[in-house]
Amino acid sequence: MKLRSGDQRQICTLMLRFLALVLSGILGARALNNGLAKTPTMGWLHWERFMCNLNCQEEPDSCISEQLFMQMAELMVSDGWKDVGYKYLCIDDCWMAPQRDSEDRLQADPQRFPGGIRRLANYVHSKGLKLGIYADVGNKTCAGFPGSFGHYDLDAQTFADWGVDLLKFDGCYCDSIKHLENGYKYMSLALNRTGRSIVYSCEWPFYLRPFHKPNYTAIRQYCNHWRNFADVSDSWQSIKSILDWTSSNQEKIVDVAGPGGWNDPDMLVIGNFGLSWDQQVTQMALWAIMAAPLLMSNDLRQISPEAKALLQNKDVIAINQDPLGKQGYRLRKEENIELWERPLSNLAWAIAVRNLQEIGGPCFYTIAIVSLGHGVACNPGCFITQLLPMKRELGFYEWTSSLKTKINPTGTVLLRLEAAGMLQKN
C-alpha cells in the first residue's frame, strides 16, 4: 500500500508526539499495588480551615465534631461537589480521645463524636461518599493524641472495621529515621492486609528530607500520595513557597508521579480569606498542572459562588484527572513569567502562564507555539482554548505561529491545546 504525502506527514507527526511523551517520562516507577488513586484523589479535608478546634461549647459550628463532618457530607452531595469528583470527606488530627480504649484501640472523642467513627462512616457512605481519617507514624499525633507506633496492625484493622476509605499518616513524634521509614512501610502493608481498599496518604518525604534524601521509587511503592513540603496556609506566600519548591525540585519528583502515586502539594485553600481572586485561579490552575490531589480545606457552608465555580470547573478538573497521569512541570522562567506544561491523553497539552509580579497591572507575554511540548504539541497545528481565568475559544494555531496572552499580577492563564488531527477524528 502506497501512502500519500499527507498520510506520511500525519504518521510522522504522531510518532514525534509519542516520542515526546516518552521523553517526558510517561513510563513512571512502579506504584503501590492497591488499585487505588489511579487519578489524583479529590475531596475535602478539615485541617487548614478548622485546625484543632476542640471548643464545641462556645464554637459548635467550627469544632472538630461529628456534626461538622455530617454537615459537610450533606453539602458535598446537595451542592454538586460529589458530582464533579470530590468524593473523599477527610478527618485530620484531633478526632481522637486522649487515650486508647481498654483493648488498646484508638477511639473517637465520645463527646464530639458520640456515634463513633463507624456511625460517621456509615452516614458518609450513605451519601455516596468515602471517609478519610488521620493517624501518626510516631508515638503521638502532631496535636498530642495517641500515635500508631507499636500499633500499626491493630490501627489498620480498626480503621478497616470502621469502614474508613483513606488514611492520612503524619510523621510527628517519631524517634528515629529507621522507625519513620519502617513505620510508613509497615502501615502500608498492614492496610493492605485488612482486605479493605484504603487510600494511603503519606508525609514520609517531608519528615525524612531534613536528614536524608528521599527515595521516591520506594515511597511510590508504599504510598498513594506523599507530601514533600510544609503545610499550606491561607496566604499567597504559602502558595508561592510550594510552587517555588516544586519547580526547583521537579527533576527529582515529577517523573515518579503517575496513576496510583502522586506528589501532594497540600490542600486547596480556595474560598477562604487569604488569597485574591487571581491567586485562587493560580492555585487551581497549577494544582491541575501538577496532577495534585484536590483536597479542599474550606467551609462549604459559606463559600462564595465564584470560589465554588472555580473549584467545580469541569474543564480544569479534567486536566487534573487526565487518565494519562503525567505530572506537569515548569518549562521555563523568563523575568516575571513562568510557563508550565503538562502532557495529556489524546496528544493534548495543558499550558499555564503565571505572572510573578505583585505590582502594577496586567502584563503581556508571547508564546512561540513551536516551543511547547518538546516542539510537537502543536505540530502541524492545534486548537487552543483558554480555560482560566475565564473560558474562551482562541482558535486554530499553526506550529510556527505565536500566541499573545495577558496575565494579571499573581494570576495565571490556563490553556488547553488539542491536536488538530485528534479533534477531527473525535
Side-chain angles (χ1 to χ4, degrees):
M1 181 176 69
K2 193 171 183 180
L3 293 174
R4 294 173 296 175
S5 60
D7 294 332
Q8 291 176 323
R9 185 173 66 176
Q10 187 174 28
I11 290 171
C12 183
T13 298
L14 291 173
M15 290 178 66
L16 284 170
R17 288 174 180 273
F18 176 75
L19 178 61
L21 294 182
V22 172
L23 290 175
S24 64
I26 291 302
L27 302 177
R30 185 163 59 92
L32 171 60
N33 187 26
N34 63 2
L36 302 172
K38 294 302 185 183
T39 60
T41 304
M42 294 178 63
W44 184 93
L45 178 64
H46 93 244
W47 183 255
E48 197 287 326
R49 178 62 178 82
F50 295 95
M51 301 186 69
C52 191
N53 186 349
L54 307 181
N55 188 1
C56 290
Q57 284 191 331
E58 296 182 12
E59 301 175 36
D61 292 332
S62 57
C63 71
I64 308 309
S65 66
E66 178 183 89
Q67 172 184 295
L68 176 68
F69 294 100
M70 287 184 170
Q71 288 179 349
M72 294 302 165
E74 291 171 4
L75 290 168
M76 286 177 73
V77 175
S78 64
D79 286 2
W81 301 100
K82 184 185 80 167
D83 293 340
V84 297
Y86 295 97
K87 294 184 178 177
Y88 284 84
L89 177 67
C90 300
I91 308 168
D92 208 284
D93 205 347
C94 304
W95 63 271
M96 299 177 194
Q99 292 88 28
R100 291 173 176 265
D101 70 11
S102 60
E103 298 180 359
D104 218 18
R105 295 174 302 189
L106 293 173
Q107 56 183 337
D109 183 275
Q111 279 73 46
R112 294 181 287 115
F113 293 85
I117 301 301
R118 190 197 305 270
R119 186 173 79 174
L120 179 58
N122 290 341
Y123 180 81
V124 169
H125 294 156
S126 75
K127 299 290 185 180
L129 301 169
K130 297 180 182 294
L131 183 70
I133 206 164
Y134 168 100
D136 192 285
V137 70
N139 293 297
K140 293 188 289 186
T141 73
C142 296
F145 291 88
S148 290
F149 181 72
H151 300 82
Y152 298 132
D153 285 304
L154 177 61
D155 290 355
Q157 191 60 55
T158 299
F159 297 146
D161 292 343
W162 286 345
V164 165
D165 305 291
L166 178 149
L167 172 63
K168 176 180 175 179
F169 210 39
D170 215 336
C172 285
Y173 295 102
C174 199
D175 59 7
S176 72
I177 294 300
K178 180 179 179 181
H179 285 162
L180 181 82
E181 294 204 289
N182 288 345
Y184 273 109
K185 293 176 183 178
Y186 198 99
M187 180 55 89
S188 178
L189 299 173
L191 290 172
N192 280 352
R193 281 195 294 268
T194 69
R196 183 169 182 80
S197 295
I198 300 176
V199 173
Y200 188 38
S201 176
C202 301
E203 312 248 332
W204 181 354
F206 171 60
Y207 285 95
L208 181 65
R209 180 167 285 104
F211 311 101
H212 287 287
K213 179 181 177 182
N215 180 346
Y216 283 100
T217 301
I219 290 169
R220 178 176 167 82
Q221 292 175 7
Y222 289 96
C223 304
N224 291 120
H225 30 94
W226 48 87
R227 285 271 309 283
N228 295 303
F229 194 66
D231 286 3
V232 71
S233 63
D234 188 12
S235 74
W236 180 232
Q237 182 59 47
S238 175
I239 302 301
K240 287 193 301 180
S241 297
I242 291 169
L243 293 174
D244 290 347
W245 186 92
T246 301
S247 58
S248 298
N249 292 274
Q250 61 186 18
E251 292 184 2
K252 304 181 187 75
I253 67 171
V254 164
D255 287 346
V256 76
W262 311 96
N263 291 293
D264 181 5
D266 211 7
M267 296 161 276
L268 294 167
V269 294
I270 295 165
N272 288 322
F273 310 99
L275 303 184
S276 71
W277 170 248
D278 287 293
Q279 293 160 4
Q280 292 178 77
V281 167
T282 291
Q283 189 184 26
M284 191 69 184
L286 269 298
W287 262 236
I289 290 283
M290 294 188 294
L294 299 182
L295 294 172
M296 307 177 290
S297 192
N298 49 25
D299 192 340
L300 300 180
R301 300 165 298 191
Q302 301 175 356
I303 194 166
S304 71
E306 295 79 14
K308 178 181 176 183
L310 177 60
L311 287 162
Q312 293 191 5
N313 187 308
K314 293 181 180 180
D315 294 318
V316 181
I317 290 172
I319 290 175
N320 176 265
Q321 297 286 296
D322 187 84
L324 186 62
K326 174 60 187 173
Q327 180 172 332
Y329 48 86
R330 188 177 71 182
L331 178 62
R332 60 179 174 266
K333 178 181 178 182
E334 296 178 356
E335 295 184 353
N336 291 310
I337 294 292
E338 284 185 347
L339 193 66
W340 295 61
E341 65 180 15
R342 178 183 176 185
L344 305 173
S345 54
N346 296 321
L347 303 178
W349 289 77
I351 307 294
V353 190
R354 177 186 168 209
N355 184 354
L356 304 181
Q357 284 191 254
E358 300 184 15
I359 190 172
C363 72
F364 291 88
Y365 181 73
T366 299
I367 305 169
I369 299 298
V370 71
S371 69
L372 302 176
H374 302 278
V376 297
C378 272
N379 185 2
C382 63
F383 289 90
I384 301 180
T385 303
Q386 177 183 297
L387 302 181
L388 291 175
M390 63 186 69
K391 188 170 183 178
R392 291 193 298 148
E393 301 290 340
L394 302 183
F396 179 78
Y397 285 76
E398 294 183 341
W399 189 42
T400 55
S401 61
S402 60
L403 172 65
K404 189 175 184 179
T405 58
K406 182 176 79 170
I407 319 101
N408 291 341
T410 71
T412 296
V413 169
L414 181 64
L415 307 169
R416 183 181 179 97
L417 281 55
E418 301 276 0
M422 297 302 296
L423 278 184
Q424 291 168 1
K425 288 182 179 181
N426 293 337

